[in-house]
Amino acid sequence: MNERDALRALAADLPHAGDDAAVVDDTVITTDMLHERTDFPPGTSRYTAGWRAVGASLSDVAAMGAAATAAVAVYADADFDEADLDRFVAGAVDVCDAVDAAYVGGDLDTHAEFTTASTAIGTLTDAGPVTRSGAAPGDALCVTGEWGRSAAALRLFDRGRDDAAADADAIGTVDASNGAVERANELFRFTPRVADGLALAPHATAMMDSSDGLARSLHQLGEASEVGFELDRDTLPVHPAVEAVTDDPAERFELAAHFGEDFELVCTVPESAVDRVASDCPGTLVRVGSAVAAEDGITVDGDPLPDRGYTHGTE
């Protein structure tokens, strides 16, 4: 059973499960767990791990249109290295600072592999929460930022590992000072789109973060709102780092649309509000398509867009 199937199974007892965060009065709360083997490639610094782990939860707060308030995290490893722990906390503090939130602590535990669980809370504005279920045919489909940065980072982490394997004295290690690895860590440290989520909150009819990839997010958003989507391939903003790891147009789209873990926002906005909302967003907001009737499905340039992306758990 994968994550989506598990959520469907829980729906009878937890009818609100499935949005990016839970809503309690005017507070949103969310939690995430990341593991070394599945989420932190060799070469990922503990600073980057702290930033990325806490950032993932802050991204969920952003997707609800809430202001980020605070975050905590669990740090678990086979043993505690003081320098590694300090770097992890520094990354967690810095990503919170980037969105005007506070990192306020957490828990320590031992584990067979480096594992972290993070929780973030936020406060709703007068606009209230933006859920996944409000899109309607005719709404504009919009995204923040640029896509494919995490996929490009993974290619660069792999390149750093290949460089290490070519060095007989470095087998089994990845040098953090390797240029490819340094760039990969930079790309892994995304800024959660809290400010953009706040700008979108009064206008967006539906919204979610893109941790599972654009294509899968559209299928999830379409299912929740009972609509379809038409995606215009050429309008999708692709991160420049993708251009550096592949020159094949089909592969560029694959990395941007299906890989996942970019933590951008995917939203629908009334047609009449697109220009105003785009100008209000501190980052970039780009229209990439439209919501259509559910029976028209999820398409890209008229062809079916496969429901393929990042999946937690096993199929």
Side-chain angles (χ1 to χ4, degrees):
M1 180 181 289
N2 62 35
E3 182 186 32
R4 290 173 68 186
D5 291 336
L7 285 171
R8 292 187 185 107
L10 292 170
D13 296 322
L14 299 171
H16 299 294
D19 271 308
D20 290 80
V23 178
V24 182
D25 297 326
D26 64 348
T27 298
V28 299
I29 184 168
T30 183
T31 190
D32 294 276
M33 181 179 289
L34 286 77
H35 303 271
E36 186 166 29
R37 282 176 291 178
T38 57
D39 298 293
F40 302 121
T44 306
S45 70
R46 283 292 192 266
Y47 178 83
T48 295
W51 180 296
R52 191 169 179 83
V54 173
S57 291
L58 292 169
S59 181
D60 287 334
V61 170
M64 301 300 291
T69 304
V72 296
V74 174
Y75 181 100
D77 208 343
D79 54 53
F80 297 122
D81 179 279
E82 183 177 357
D84 281 348
L85 181 57
D86 286 347
R87 293 184 188 106
F88 178 90
V89 171
V93 168
D94 285 351
V95 73
C96 285
D97 286 348
V99 296
D100 296 324
Y103 183 71
V104 294
D107 192 23
L108 299 173
D109 202 351
T110 55
H111 198 277
E113 65 168 330
F114 170 57
T115 300
T116 178
S118 57
T119 296
I121 61 174
T123 303
L124 294 170
T125 68
D126 291 341
V130 186
T131 67
R132 300 180 181 186
S133 58
D139 285 348
L141 173 65
C142 301
V143 299
T144 61
E146 296 171 316
W147 294 68
R149 63 183 294 151
S150 288
L154 191 63
R155 294 283 180 93
L156 291 170
F157 278 124
D158 287 344
R159 189 175 297 171
R161 187 163 60 248
D162 291 343
D163 290 346
D167 183 347
D169 295 326
I171 293 175
T173 68
V174 177
D175 184 358
S177 66
N178 177 286
V181 173
E182 284 187 327
R183 178 59 173 150
N185 275 282
E186 291 172 2
L187 292 169
F188 251 28
R189 296 193 295 267
F190 65 94
T191 299
R193 300 299 187 183
V194 173
D196 295 294
L198 288 169
L200 283 158
H203 309 284
T205 54
M207 186 158 62
M208 66 182 293
D209 96 330
S210 67
S211 55
D212 294 339
L214 177 61
R216 180 144 293 170
S217 294
L218 293 183
H219 281 270
Q220 292 171 337
L221 207 61
E223 180 179 348
S225 291
E226 299 182 346
V227 298
F229 290 106
E230 293 178 344
L231 176 65
D232 181 349
R233 182 191 302 255
D234 290 339
T235 61
L236 180 64
V238 178
H239 196 281
V242 176
E243 308 286 337
V245 299
T246 179
D247 57 5
D248 179 74
E251 188 175 21
R252 285 200 296 268
F253 181 76
E254 176 72 23
L255 297 182
H258 293 286
F259 182 86
E261 300 288 283
D262 284 328
F263 299 100
E264 295 292 350
L265 298 180
V266 184
C267 63
T268 52
V269 176
E271 182 74 40
S272 59
V274 174
D275 291 342
R276 176 184 172 187
V277 177
S279 65
D280 288 345
C281 283
T284 59
L285 186 76
V286 176
R287 180 178 182 166
V288 294
S290 301
V292 296
E295 55 265 30
D296 293 332
I298 313 293
T299 63
V300 54
D301 294 347
D303 296 321
L305 180 66
D307 182 3
R308 188 174 68 251
Y310 186 83
T311 300
H312 300 269
T314 57
E315 297 291 347

